[in-house]
């Protein structure tokens, strides 16, 4: 090593160890971690140019199982093990099952996961199976799965790790701490997808704690977005048969509805709905103009920003943070559709430099 090679980096230790002083953990808590958190906050010039705001993307697809669920799951599984649990159960639209399966396996306990039959993305199903969960496909939707999981956890010795479990929300609030560390204050606006509204609640809690301890000068306005066919909070009542291609937010009766309304009121927030075409258009902007690949539900943060900016609701120069919740490789099929919905098939070429150059529009120099 040369004298100038000053090494300052160190390995990120996962959210419990990084934020032990701000979570309900003690020396008695076994830390079950896969190194979650510490995800990049990426500046997005293409979105800044479109909106006149200063836009950053918090890329939660960079977590160990590819979604923000890992932040809450490290807490939920660690606390479950601390309390002697040998098995956990959850309902899931996919990512919770992938995360619960990975963390339970890591801890050497069993995960039972209930998913709506035929309704979860292939990548997520593969993860739950790969991590050896007891996976059951329920003949119902997510809301039915959650009701089942809650009932089973009440009557049998299994620990519920859905976001109705406060440990999940606590772990997830650490994402707000990370944003504040990078920006050295809270943003003006925070955009986020809303399904069960646990993450909306968690970010608000994290930002609220930062303000209360004097680390920031403001509380960001929490802007949450639901898919138009699945927007109970926006329409103000339970949606019986929620529909959207964004399977991670296909939820008709959000578990954290009441908490989210409190967060909304405290932060002068906003709830809006975006239709599936708007979600896919934003998905394309994010992947083709910013270089970040997410699953469809995550793209609703981008769609929400563009919609609110178009409506003139985002003052020029505002700092906006967008949480994109899950990785694009979990549910990649949507990328294969062009902007007009046409199937994008790669052009076939012979093994011939001249032909390839011509196809690429290259001319010799
Ligand atoms: C779970 C999930 C959501 C929704 O989060 P809630 O806390 O249920 O509102 C959004 N996007 C992805 C990718 C998810 O996995």
């Amino acid at each position: 090593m040369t004298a100038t090679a000053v090494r300052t980096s160190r390995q990120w230790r996962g959210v419990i160890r990084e934020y032990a002083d701000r979570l309900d953990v003690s020396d008695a808590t076994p830390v079950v971690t896969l190194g979650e958190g510490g995800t990049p906050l990426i500046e997005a010039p293409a979105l800044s140019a479109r909106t006149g705001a200063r836009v950053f993307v918090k890329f939660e697809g960079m977590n160990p199982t590819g979604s923000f669920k890992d932040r809450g799951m490290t807490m939920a599984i660690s606390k479950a093990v601390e309390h002697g649990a040998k098995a956990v159960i959850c309902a899931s639209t996919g990512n919770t099952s992938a995360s619960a399966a990975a963390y339970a396996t890591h801890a050497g306990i069993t995960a039972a996961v209930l998913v709506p039959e035929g309704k979860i993305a292939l990548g997520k199903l593969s993860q739950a199976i790969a991590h050896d969960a007891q996976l059951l496909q329920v003949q119902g939707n997510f809301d039915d799965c959650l009701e089942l999981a809650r009932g089973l956890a009440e009557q049998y010795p299994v620990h519920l790790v859905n976001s109705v479990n406060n440990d999940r929300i606590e772990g997830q609030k650490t994402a707000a701490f990370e944003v504040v560390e990078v920006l050295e204050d809270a943003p003006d606006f925070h955009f986020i997808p809303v399904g069960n509204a646990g993450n909306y609640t968690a970010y608000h809690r994290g930002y609220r704690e930062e303000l209360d301890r004097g680390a920031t000068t403001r509380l960001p306005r929490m802007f949450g977005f639901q898919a138009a066919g699945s927007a109970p909070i926006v329409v103000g009542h339970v949606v019986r048969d929620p529909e959207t291609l964004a399977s991670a937010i296909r939820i008709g009766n959000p578990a954290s509805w009441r908490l989210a309304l409190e967060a909304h009121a405290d932060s002068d927030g906003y709830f809006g709905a975006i239709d599936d075409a708007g979600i896919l258009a934003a998905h394309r902007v994010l992947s083709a103009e910013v270089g970040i690949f997410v699953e469809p539900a995550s793209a609703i943060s981008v769609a929400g920003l563009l919609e609110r900016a178009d409506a003139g609701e985002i003052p020029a120069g505002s700092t906006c943070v967008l949480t994109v919740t899950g990785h694009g490789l979990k549910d990649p099929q949507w990328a294969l559709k062009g902007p007009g919905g046409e199937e994008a098939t790669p052009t076939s070429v012979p093994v011939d430099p001249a032909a390839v150059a011509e196809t690429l529009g290259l001319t010799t120099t």
Side-chain angles (χ1 to χ4, degrees), residues 198-210:
N199 214 24
Y200 182 97
T201 302
Y203 271 88
H204 169 263
R205 188 183 294 178
Y207 284 129
R208 171 41 80 190
E209 289 182 9
E210 291 286 44

Side-chain angles (χ1 to χ4, degrees), residues 1-12 18:
M1 195 188 281
T2 67
T4 52
V6 179
R7 197 181 141 90
T8 54
S9 66
R10 59 169 177 84
Q11 173 152 302
W12 178 263
E18 295 290 338

Side-chain angles (χ1 to χ4, degrees), residues 161-175:
V161 292
N162 276 107
S163 57
V164 291
N165 175 336
N166 188 54
D167 297 328
R168 287 271 312 276
I169 310 270
E170 281 289 299
Q172 288 170 209
K173 78 183 178 186
T174 59

Side-chain angles (χ1 to χ4, degrees), residues 72-85:
M73 205 54 73
T74 183
M75 272 296 285
I77 300 289
S78 296
K79 298 294 282 185
V81 172
E82 182 177 349
H83 294 126

